[in-house]
Amino acid sequence: MKKTLLAVAMLFVLGSCASKKKLLTAQKQANEIQIQLDKARADLNDCDSRTAGLNNDLKAKNDELASKNAKLKELEDQIEFLKKNNNNLLDRMSDLSVISKEGSESIKKSLAMMDAQGVQIRDLNQSIQRKDSLNMALVLNLKRSLQDVSDEDVQIEVKKGVVYVSLSDKMLFRSGSSVINTQAETVLGKVAKILNDYKEIEILIEGHTDNVPIATEKFSDNWDLSVLRATSVARTLQKKYGVEPVRMIAGGRGEYLPKVANDSPANRSLNRRTEIIITPKLDQFFNLYTPNAGK
């Protein structure tokens, strides 16, 4: 009996040991499976992330492609529009002969004329500026030279782009006479010195009277008187002070260009005067308006 129980106990122990070994083996296999499962899950998550990223990239590319397709369509529409316009223009040019050799030459000539006119205008502006500077210099020199002469006897001013030296009748002449006074010769000498310093100017001498009629053996009317007074001044400038006669013009205005109304003795006295008008040489002045003048 004891032997039997011992045998049973041995069998139980041996069976127990075998079950524990199987259990450990099974446990080990389960752990390995769990590790593989965790790895598979991690790989799946990584794959899902990459798939989501690729889907986002694909969506962005699709959006970009759609945008480019829209721009391409817009450009194609513009090209089609331009083609139509070009065809219309070509048809018009063909029908109306807009572009021709003759037309091109005409345009070139017009542009060349515009360029030449631009140069001429610039030259004219420069000439006007030089003339203005000359006038200013003349006025300053004349006023300096005649500073001791009364303003009632001599007035100097610039009008209409030229210099006027107005000499009073009472200083130059006796009443009803065209003979220059000795005092006036001194004044004319000072004026002549300035005139001789500027050879590039011309001198116009104008006689003026009031409207009181005159009729003598020497003077038929105020026109006669004004002309002879102007020539007396010109002759004095020429013979006594050496002003070249070729530069001078003498003329009379009579009573027909008064400074003020002839309605009082004082005003009539203002109107009785001889004016020395200093101008640029007329041929040089007109050359400014003539292309290629003097060439």
Side-chain angles (χ1 to χ4, degrees):
M1 186 68 177
K2 290 181 180 180
K3 290 181 179 180
T4 302
L5 291 170
L6 182 61
V8 171
M10 290 292 292
L11 288 171
F12 179 78
V13 170
L14 289 173
S16 176
C17 288
S19 297
K20 188 175 182 181
K21 187 175 181 180
K22 288 181 180 180
L23 181 61
L24 289 174
T25 300
Q27 185 67 39
K28 183 177 179 181
Q29 290 176 348
N31 289 339
E32 289 177 353
I33 291 171
Q34 185 64 45
I35 290 171
Q36 291 176 357
L37 180 61
D38 291 341
K39 185 175 183 302
R41 285 174 177 172
D43 290 342
L44 180 61
N45 290 335
D46 183 57
C47 183
D48 289 342
S49 297
R50 283 187 291 176
T51 300
L54 290 173
N55 286 333
N56 290 334
D57 291 344
L58 180 61
K59 184 178 183 304
K61 294 295 183 182
N62 287 333
D63 292 342
E64 183 180 354
L65 180 61
S67 176
K68 288 183 176 180
N69 286 334
K71 289 182 178 179
L72 179 61
K73 179 66 169 60
E74 182 180 352
L75 290 174
E76 289 175 346
D77 292 341
Q78 290 180 2
I79 291 172
E80 187 63 26
F81 176 76
L82 291 174
K83 283 181 178 179
K84 290 180 179 179
N85 279 351
N86 285 342
N87 290 334
N88 290 335
L89 288 174
L90 288 173
D91 290 342
R92 291 179 185 177
M93 289 164 63
S94 176
D95 293 341
L96 301 176
S97 300
V98 174
I99 300 299
S100 65
K101 184 177 180 181
E102 293 79 7
S104 178
E105 290 299 323
S106 177
I107 292 172
K108 288 180 181 178
K109 289 180 180 178
S110 297
L111 292 175
M113 289 178 62
M114 291 174 64
D115 290 340
Q117 289 174 351
V119 172
Q120 186 181 353
I121 290 171
R122 287 195 297 271
D123 291 342
L124 179 59
N125 285 333
Q126 291 175 357
S127 298
I128 291 173
Q129 290 174 3
R130 288 197 300 270
K131 183 171 71 69
D132 290 342
S133 299
L134 174 62
N135 287 344
M136 183 177 296
L138 279 169
V139 169
L140 292 175
N141 288 333
L142 285 165
K143 287 187 174 181
R144 188 182 301 115
S145 179
L146 299 170
Q147 60 184 347
D148 57 342
V149 181
S150 170
D151 290 341
E152 294 181 357
D153 293 330
V154 179
Q155 294 181 354
I156 302 168
E157 59 183 333
V158 177
K159 294 189 301 183
K160 301 176 183 178
V162 296
V163 178
Y164 281 70
V165 181
S166 183
L167 307 174
S168 69
D169 168 79
K170 66 178 181 178
M171 180 192 70
L172 287 172
F173 308 103
R174 295 190 307 274
S175 178
S177 172
S178 62
V179 178
I180 294 176
N181 296 324
T182 303
Q183 175 192 2
E185 289 183 353
T186 303
V187 174
L188 290 176
K190 293 180 178 181
V191 174
K193 184 179 185 306
I194 304 301
L195 297 178
N196 286 330
D197 287 340
Y198 293 88
K199 302 295 185 183
E200 70 276 19
I201 58 176
E202 290 186 336
I203 305 128
L204 172 61
I205 303 168
E206 288 185 349
H208 298 263
T209 69
D210 58 24
N211 66 344
V212 177
I214 184 173
T216 66
E217 291 182 3
K218 189 173 183 180
F219 309 114
S220 299
D221 52 24
N222 280 323
W223 237 342
D224 273 353
L225 177 60
S226 65
V227 170
L228 289 175
R229 283 182 168 178
T231 55
S232 292
V233 171
R235 195 173 291 114
T236 300
L237 291 174
Q238 173 198 358
K239 293 184 176 181
K240 194 172 182 67
Y241 300 108
V243 179
E244 296 174 332
V246 71
R247 298 169 57 196
M248 292 189 288
I249 301 172
R253 292 276 195 170
E255 64 197 71
Y256 302 108
L257 193 64
K259 294 181 71 172
V260 292
N262 286 293
D263 54 6
S264 68
N267 282 354
R268 285 193 290 273
S269 177
L270 288 174
N271 290 330
R272 295 191 300 270
R273 67 202 188 276
T274 300
E275 293 183 335
I276 299 176
I277 305 169
I278 304 170
T279 68
K281 286 191 175 180
L282 295 180
D283 56 346
Q284 296 178 4
F285 183 74
F286 286 122
N287 281 346
L288 297 176
Y289 296 92
T290 306
N292 302 318
K295 292 185 179 180

